[in-house]
Amino acid sequence: MALIVQKYGGTSVANPDRIRNVAKRVERFRDQGHDVVVVLSAMSGETNRLIALAKEMNEVPPPRELDVLVTTGEQVTIALLAMALLKDGYDAISFTGAQVRILTDDAFGKARIQAIDADRIRGHLGKGRVVVVAGFQGVDEAGDITTLGRGGSDTTAVALAAALKADECQIYTDVDGVYTTDPRVVPAARRLETITFEEMLELASQGSKVLQIRSVEFAGKYNVPLRVLSSFGEGNGTLITLEEGNNMEQPIISGIAFNRDEGKLTLRGVPDIPGAAYKILGPIGDANIEVDMIVQNIGLDKTTDFTFTVHCNEIKKAQAVLEQVAKSIGAREVVANERIAKVSLVGVGMRSHAGVASRMFKILADESINIQMISTSEIKISVVIDEKYLELAVKALHTGFGLDKPAE
Ligand code: ASP
Ligand code: MG
């Protein structure tokens, strides 16, 4: 019989009825003889509500106190689930992060897990109990309550699965798996049976928000088989693993991610001399602005255009920094454009297939979509295009790379 860690997100525990449904699912696994550790989020909306309350008290809530406050959301759901299980005649016990001893550093609001006392949990499992653990929270060396960052319950679940050497970590959410792309944009998107950690990381960092990125990193590092599935239906969901699968039919591209949240900045007429890139991006880094894609090329007149993308929340700030830089290095002008979108093809299959980029560019050309920037890695190709062509681009690429689900 297996040891399974199951994590249920906020929508899955949004009210007493849904919590009872979670209990029923846990009970089915118990009936099959499995050991089950459950990790819960707060009821959906609860963490936001608590943060808003804190801000009413103090515009910049002190991080230690904020963590004491927001961790109450998870404390509510774990107790309620344990009560539901006990009522149905299943032995169960709930624990906060501090009780389990999920030991973290003391970076309130973004703490990192350092150790987990797995023996304690094993002891309770050995007595036939379902162990219900509050997600998103831990405790530091000094005994202060910490949190792991928004969406951190995923990371709690994966960390517990790693510490317990669980057979599988199941993440129950409101979608039934990981899709080739966002089904709201491409109705023909398909659920993936499997995907690798590497691909999942790329998809997550490119804007697909099924799992907290850190949880995927953690799962990859400790090789925890991770499954994303719906808490409202049945089905196998999507299994995320190390293996690339030896399926000959394995598509070259596993998924298409896209992101409207970036803006583009160009510094025109930059003198083509050593150190120019550093003089531009140094001050941007000093201002704590994260840069994504970068493109630079030399023109005939011995000057270059230097272009990069940042999150659109940072574009005004970055523009101000660049105006200063432009003056000091004698560049011609700064141009900002927020109306861009990034589209990325992701797939480990690219490693063994040449010509993916040219195929991508041909598909976009056939739709008369202009490419403004390109960047590639071993398993990803990203392009920046005009935001207004985003849907068209994603749909055309989805079809062009054979990802559409068969017509019914
Ligand atoms: N309740 C926390 C949040 O909303 C943690 C989680 O749901 O994973 O961020
Ligand atoms: Mg979540």
Side-chain angles (χ1 to χ4, degrees):
M1 292 299 103
L3 167 55
I4 300 166
V5 175
Q6 302 186 329
K7 179 258 171 177
Y8 294 88
T11 49
S12 313
V13 293
N15 56 49
D17 274 339
R18 292 204 181 158
I19 293 176
R20 272 189 281 271
N21 284 340
V22 168
K24 294 287 173 239
R25 191 180 292 271
V26 172
E27 290 162 13
R28 286 213 304 277
F29 279 86
R30 287 296 293 142
D31 292 345
Q32 291 161 17
H34 301 304
D35 284 333
V36 185
V37 174
V38 183
V39 174
L40 297 183
S41 286
M43 293 181 179
S44 56
E46 179 64 5
T47 309
N48 289 342
R49 188 185 74 86
L50 292 167
I51 292 172
L53 259 182
K55 287 189 175 154
E56 254 181 65
M57 254 345 112
N58 187 332
E59 270 163 50
V60 189
R64 181 192 180 279
E65 304 312 323
L66 187 60
D67 278 0
V68 172
L69 179 69
V70 295
T71 48
T72 60
E74 274 74 10
Q75 196 167 334
V76 170
T77 51
I78 55 168
L80 291 175
L81 179 65
M83 288 176 196
L85 289 164
L86 288 162
K87 173 148 195 249
D88 291 346
Y90 290 77
D91 202 357
I93 185 164
S94 69
F95 291 116
T96 65
Q99 287 175 308
V100 174
R101 208 131 198 287
I102 296 179
L103 185 70
T104 72
D105 61 23
D106 60 3
F108 298 113
K110 49 174 193 293
R112 294 198 162 249
I113 296 176
Q114 292 175 333
I116 291 179
D117 185 353
D119 287 344
R120 177 117 190 255
I121 297 175
R122 278 203 201 92
H124 289 287
L125 292 173
K127 290 185 183 127
R129 292 187 182 129
V130 176
V131 177
V132 187
V133 180
F136 173 56
Q137 55 180 264
V139 66
D140 69 8
E141 202 70 70
D144 285 323
I145 296 174
T146 57
T147 63
L148 309 178
R150 296 307 305 270
S153 299
D154 294 339
T155 299
T156 305
V158 172
L160 277 170
L164 291 162
K165 301 194 172 54
D167 296 284
E168 193 166 290
C169 181
Q170 303 177 335
I171 308 280
Y172 287 90
T173 175
D174 47 8
V175 294
D176 65 355
V178 179
Y179 275 69
T180 47
T181 194
D182 187 338
R184 287 168 301 189
V185 171
V186 183
R190 275 186 298 113
R191 180 177 57 81
L192 294 159
E193 286 295 328
T194 64
I195 186 170
T196 67
F197 291 119
E198 253 183 309
E199 290 170 323
M200 190 63 209
L201 267 181
E202 289 289 3
L203 289 178
S205 61
Q206 300 306 308
S208 139
K209 291 188 182 65
V210 187
L211 288 171
Q212 198 201 30
I213 292 179
R214 259 173 72 191
S215 71
V216 183
E217 284 167 3
F218 211 109
K221 188 163 161 202
Y222 294 97
N223 194 12
V224 176
L226 190 59
R227 194 183 286 278
V228 174
L229 58 192
S230 165
S231 62
F232 301 110
E234 299 306 316
N236 293 332
T238 301
L239 181 66
I240 310 167
T241 57
L242 276 182
E243 261 123 80
E244 297 185 10
N246 38 16
N247 183 354
M248 296 293 286
E249 309 275 299
Q250 170 103 9
I252 301 167
I253 302 303
S254 295
I256 304 176
F258 54 84
N259 180 347
R260 294 183 182 89
D261 300 340
E262 283 183 31
K264 189 177 83 165
L265 289 153
T266 301
L267 199 52
R268 292 232 169 93
V270 177
D272 181 29
I273 47 166
Y278 173 65
K279 283 188 184 133
I280 297 167
L281 291 185
I284 293 287
D286 293 342
N288 255 322
I289 300 169
E290 213 176 300
V291 171
D292 182 26
M293 284 164 86
I294 305 171
V295 168
Q296 185 209 236
N297 217 334
I298 315 166
L300 284 174
D301 62 349
K302 275 289 185 184
T303 67
T304 73
D305 283 356
F306 193 98
T307 302
F308 59 93
T309 63
V310 298
H311 194 277
C312 43
N313 293 342
E314 308 266 45
I315 198 149
K316 290 279 172 306
K317 193 166 138 198
Q319 195 172 356
V321 173
L322 282 190
E323 300 287 358
Q324 290 304 316
V325 170
K327 270 192 213 127
S328 73
I329 65 175
R332 202 157 46 235
E333 61 174 337
V334 180
V335 185
N337 182 358
E338 292 178 60
R339 307 201 47 79
I340 58 156
K342 185 169 77 169
V343 180
S344 307
L345 300 184
V346 173
V348 291
M350 273 185 225
R351 281 199 189 114
S352 47
H353 284 82
V356 179
S358 62
R359 198 159 139 200
M360 178 185 202
F361 303 156
K362 165 125 191 2
I363 292 167
L364 295 174
D366 288 347
E367 301 293 339
S368 304
I369 298 171
N370 191 40
I371 300 171
Q372 303 178 11
M373 296 173 83
I374 300 167
S375 87
T376 65
S377 78
E378 231 191 337
I379 67 162
K380 182 183 72 182
I381 304 172
S382 303
V383 297
V384 166
I385 58 172
D386 189 320
E387 196 180 82
K388 66 175 181 269
Y389 300 121
L390 176 61
E391 279 198 38
L392 177 62
V394 177
K395 280 200 180 114
L397 291 167
H398 201 269
T399 306
F401 279 93
L403 296 175
D404 289 357
K405 70 178 166 208
E408 264 136 47

